[in-house]
Amino acid sequence: MTRQNFTRSIIAAAVLVVAGGAYLHSRNADIGIENANAAVPATVPVAAPAATVSNAAPAVAVATDFSSIVERAGPAVVNISVTGKAKQSAVADQDDDSADADPNDPFSQFFKRFGPQLQIPRHPQIMRGEGSGFIISSDGLILTNAHVVDGAQEVTVKLTDRREFKAKVLGSDKQSDIAVIRIDAKNLPIVQIGNPALTRVGEPVLAIGSPYGFENTATAGIVSAKSRTLPDDTYVPFIQTDVAVNPGNSGGPLFNIKGEVIGINSQIYSQTGGYQGLSFAIPIDVATKVEQQLVAHGKVTRSHLGVAVQEVNQALAESFGLKSAAGALVSSIDRGSPADKGGMQVGDVILRFDGKAINQSADLPGLVADTAPGTSSSIEVMRAGQPKTLTIKLTEATPLKIAGKDNGANSQGRLGLALRELSPDEQQQVGIHGGLVVEDATGPSAVAGIQRGDVILSLNGKPVNSVEQLRQLVSKAGKNVALLVQRDKDKIFVPLNLG
């Protein structure tokens, strides 16, 4: 079981509450298998617009008019068609755990790329797909999503003036889902780039793309939230909107009211594969940093810290003696990594990185990744209630892993755990020293997702080696405690409320 599945099982109950019991379905890249006998879907009628809701001054309340932006920026938005050989052995872009994923686990099918799911073909077939993109330089440089061109043997770009060009993929980065392609053309219209940092929740935004192949379609809405971290994504602080985006919108631009691009539409929350009121865009500043490296080097270089971190909620904040629920809680450290060599410890709460505040765990990966390998960074942590500053030299490697956000299901009562000590052979097998294995979990522990076979490593950052030691720690603990739990090779802090 991977860390991701561990996290999913820990918080599945909480997600079901949030989702109203509905399962969250995933859709991969905007591709489909060519089939001469495929049915043509019927046209879906468009619902009538809702009545305008006005507040204090209904006489001056008017809908946002994006027509001038569409007229000015629309020609810089392109339709992208791809063809290639379909994969024969797996569903596109799934991880190694997908084959045995629990169909009832709402996280097994969550946020994914726009488009129909690629089925496993029996024989080699032609893959065809469509997406969107936009021109960022007049000599033919275009930004789109990596999943739009992934595996493509031929990429065709169509402009609004009906000209078509064969495109070359200069590079793609799956982690950020950004790709750069180029067409042989001059004096092309370009978009204006904005600053996502200035974007405010609630402001109107516009998307232009090719949903279901309907080219140059404009849809509008508002920014619903910023800096969203999604399962399976550890690097991108997504812009969440309620703009209607559908399969084919992938890679298209998200404009602000000034007509500036602030994001690239990339993912949707969907129960059906179509628009459900939640869409996610990659901030354009993240995309342009990737684009510059892809154009210059054909690949993206990022720094590596070597830790897994998780969100600090109120229960964890109280457990670790923090004044507020902020920072990134270190749940595990890779052996031999920069963090390991620099003296970081499990249970440290990272508060600042090179002077920049870490308000939530999602803030850390981007800051680390954007720092040049070889840089010695100053990292401020809270350790056992005391502030401490570490100087850690970053290296080039895989990026940070983010443990899922833990909603910390709380209830009154004791731990509710039946535990025993690990034998020396079991400790060697698991790769730890000490710890207590869970034989049964009830009450708050069961609600929080702790299962039989999990290993309790520490309570509030203090290692536990015996049941009696854990009992004494619990008796001296306050209202909230944080258990460090290991399942297989994955570790995560789980907060419990002891009342």
Side-chain angles (χ1 to χ4, degrees), residues 250-329:
S250 283
L254 182 72
F255 295 94
N256 61 18
I257 194 62
K258 298 178 182 178
E260 301 168 332
V261 176
I262 59 170
I264 302 179
N265 296 307
S266 174
Q267 301 195 34
I268 57 175
Y269 166 104
S270 180
Q271 297 174 314
T272 63
Y275 170 65
Q276 294 281 283
L278 289 173
S279 57
F280 299 88
I282 303 162
I284 194 62
D285 56 344
V286 172
T288 52
K289 291 175 184 176
V290 172
E291 173 260 324
Q292 290 166 4
Q293 292 200 52
L294 289 177
V295 171
H297 309 293
K299 66 176 184 177
V300 178
T301 299
R302 297 185 175 94
S303 283
H304 173 62
L305 184 58
V307 301
V309 296
Q310 68 183 84
E311 196 74 3
V312 178
N313 59 21
Q314 185 60 42
L316 287 172
E318 293 180 9
S319 300
F320 285 90
L322 301 175
K323 295 181 179 179
S324 61
L329 174 60

Side-chain angles (χ1 to χ4, degrees), residues 56 85 184 291 304 382 389 398 474 491:
K85 290 184 179 180
D184 186 11
E291 173 260 324
H304 173 62
M382 184 67 72
T389 300
T398 55
V474 171
K491 301 174 184 177

